Amino acid sequence: GMLQSWLLVRTGDRRWSRSGVALAGKLLAAGLMLSVLGLERPEVIACVFLAVKFFSDWEQPAEWGAVTDIAGRNAATVFATVNTAGAMGGVLAGPLIGMVLYAYRDGDALTAAGYNAVFVIIALEFLAAAACWLFIDCRKPLTPVEEKA
């Protein structure tokens, strides 16, 4: 949020102050997620996952600001829709990860290849989320702002 505010003050560009920070966070999260594919030490992998979470969450203040800007007085409804979509993704993620791990198993044992496939899927999700920010323009409200007489 502070980075977004700083950019907004410096540039005056509301759209890219929000979208740019969110996009950069998701791209960094994707890159870091893919970087664990070449790591072996669990402590290092755990630290990278911490960084993945940090950069992935850079999107949150931008999302809140963009929804508020775009939805205006309808922000509660749009926030509910966004949260519902996220919850549906969370519900689907568990079985999807289970199916991927099951597909890559060796007998009854889970394999590194299965976890690597999961990490790639998560990185692709971050890339898809980053790409969406290219199309989100918080300067365009859902309903026109009413002019006061």
Side-chain angles (χ1 to χ4, degrees), residues 31-130:
L32 287 166
M33 183 57 76
L34 291 174
S35 77
V36 301
L37 299 176
L39 301 175
E40 293 184 20
R41 293 187 49 209
E43 313 84 34
V44 175
I45 292 170
C47 288
V48 172
F49 283 157
L50 176 65
V52 166
K53 179 64 175 156
F54 175 80
F55 287 114
S56 175
D57 283 356
W58 265 19
E59 177 190 48
Q60 285 298 300
E63 181 181 326
W64 297 332
V67 167
T68 303
D69 291 342
I70 292 169
R73 63 189 173 120
N74 301 309
T77 302
V78 175
F79 276 120
T81 303
V82 168
N83 287 339
T84 299
M88 289 170 47
V91 166
L92 295 174
L96 174 63
I97 289 170
M99 287 188 303
V100 170
L101 291 174
Y102 186 80
Y104 282 91
R105 75 190 188 291
D106 181 14
D108 288 334
L110 299 177
T111 64
Y115 282 101
N116 287 344
V118 168
F119 299 156
V120 169
I121 290 169
I122 293 169
L124 290 173
E125 183 274 329
F126 287 143
L127 290 174

